[in-house]
Amino acid sequence: MTNSPFKLSYKEDLNLDPLDHTQAFIPLGEAVYQKLKTAIVQGHLIPGQLLSENKIAEKLAVSRTPVREAIRVLGSKNLVTFLPGRKVIVSIPTVQDIKEVFEIRLLLETEALRRITTQHTKIIEQMEESVQLGEAYRKQGDLVKMGEMNTCFHLTIISALENQRVQHFIDSLHETISRLRSYSLTAEWKIDREKEHKEIVTLVKKGFTEEAVSVLKQHLTTSQENLLTLFAQK
């Protein structure tokens, strides 16, 4: 049994905005899928939340058919879980999921950061811009935009590898990483993590590579521990 605050929920209302019907060129099933995926990745639909085809269809003002299609695709991407009795819930990350994702991130991001020198002015500027925008969004209380800047910061680091295969691999993990990040963006967590981003940029600009790598390792380790606590199981 889980200690996590995320558990099967039958009563919570679906936190979904109306479907944007202005983009008529997008197939309805795809539009519903993108809407649900975004809501899951950004944490508006929480892990363990029960997804009713009828309620989703009503909320988005569509029939059940595109909703059913969208849920099937979400299942193929492990964003939802199918339970006995034809129930569907937003997937709950496991401890193993979290450990595997962060093991990959630690390996790739630390190696990438080691390759960033003071001559990589464009990369450093992009990292710095992500930090500045992230801080601005934090002050505005916009966790979604702040999360996007967080993602941008870490993807910029990985870009230093200049490896398209690695980039494609990370892209395939993007939804999982974004989901985990959205669950971590609590009021207490976000300030310290943004400070660490700023510290990493400062050290890189000074050429203190290994010091920057050390901060990044601690940054990722702390994030992993925070998530493991959030989703800890007895």
Side-chain angles (χ1 to χ4, degrees):
M1 184 175 179
T2 182
N3 269 331
S4 167
F6 303 114
K7 57 186 179 180
L8 188 60
S9 171
Y10 293 94
K11 297 181 180 180
E12 291 188 46
D13 185 32
L14 295 174
N15 187 7
L16 288 173
D17 294 326
L19 197 63
D20 182 3
H21 291 282
T22 62
Q23 297 177 306
F25 59 90
I26 300 178
L28 194 53
E30 174 67 16
V32 173
Y33 162 70
Q34 291 294 340
K35 173 66 71 173
L36 293 176
K37 183 185 75 170
T38 299
I40 292 172
V41 169
Q42 294 182 349
H44 299 309
L45 296 177
I46 65 173
Q49 183 156 13
L50 190 65
L51 299 179
S52 161
E53 287 184 10
N54 287 332
K55 289 183 179 179
I56 294 172
E58 181 182 352
K59 197 84 172 180
L60 301 183
V62 298
S63 70
R64 289 177 59 187
T65 299
V67 174
R68 191 177 301 115
E69 292 173 0
I71 287 176
R72 185 173 64 249
V73 178
L74 291 168
S76 71
K77 295 181 178 294
N78 298 318
L79 291 174
V80 302
T81 300
F82 299 97
L83 301 178
R86 302 180 68 180
K87 292 184 176 66
V88 182
I89 64 170
V90 177
S91 296
I92 302 174
T94 67
V95 168
Q96 189 64 21
D97 291 333
I98 296 167
K99 288 182 176 179
E100 288 179 357
V101 166
F102 276 89
E103 182 178 11
I104 292 168
R105 291 188 63 191
L106 276 164
L107 287 170
L108 293 179
E109 291 190 37
T110 54
E111 176 59 27
L113 189 58
R114 285 192 173 96
R115 299 190 186 188
I116 301 174
T117 68
T118 54
Q119 281 71 48
H120 289 84
T121 53
K122 185 176 180 180
I123 289 179
I124 294 173
E125 286 173 1
Q126 289 174 339
M127 291 169 64
E128 199 160 32
E129 182 179 14
S130 297
V131 171
Q132 292 170 350
L133 289 173
E135 175 63 12
Y137 288 129
R138 182 190 70 77
K139 290 179 179 178
Q140 294 171 19
D142 191 335
L143 292 186
V144 172
K145 290 293 186 182
M146 180 185 168
E148 290 175 0
M149 291 304 101
N150 192 306
T151 296
C152 183
F153 179 86
H154 290 279
L155 289 179
T156 300
I157 291 175
I158 290 174
S159 72
L161 293 174
E162 297 183 343
N163 187 314
Q164 289 299 313
R165 286 181 173 83
V166 167
Q167 192 62 57
H168 290 322
F169 176 66
I170 288 297
D171 288 344
S172 72
L173 289 178
H174 174 70
E175 288 159 6
T176 300
I177 293 172
S178 295
R179 281 188 75 196
L180 294 177
R181 182 171 292 128
S182 72
Y183 306 146
S184 298
L185 291 176
T186 62
E188 298 78 13
W189 182 91
K190 59 190 178 183
I191 297 176
D192 288 339
R193 300 293 76 75
E194 286 302 304
K195 286 181 179 178
E196 288 163 357
H197 282 183
K198 187 174 182 179
E199 185 177 0
I200 290 168
V201 173
T202 299
L203 290 168
V204 169
K205 289 173 72 174
K206 292 180 179 179
F208 298 154
T209 304
E210 286 306 313
E211 289 85 348
V213 168
S214 179
V215 174
L216 177 61
K217 284 181 178 179
Q218 184 58 52
H219 175 79
L220 293 174
T221 300
T222 301
S223 297
Q224 176 181 252
E225 290 172 351
N226 186 51
L227 284 163
L228 288 174
T229 299
L230 192 62
F231 291 97
Q233 296 181 346
K234 291 182 179 178

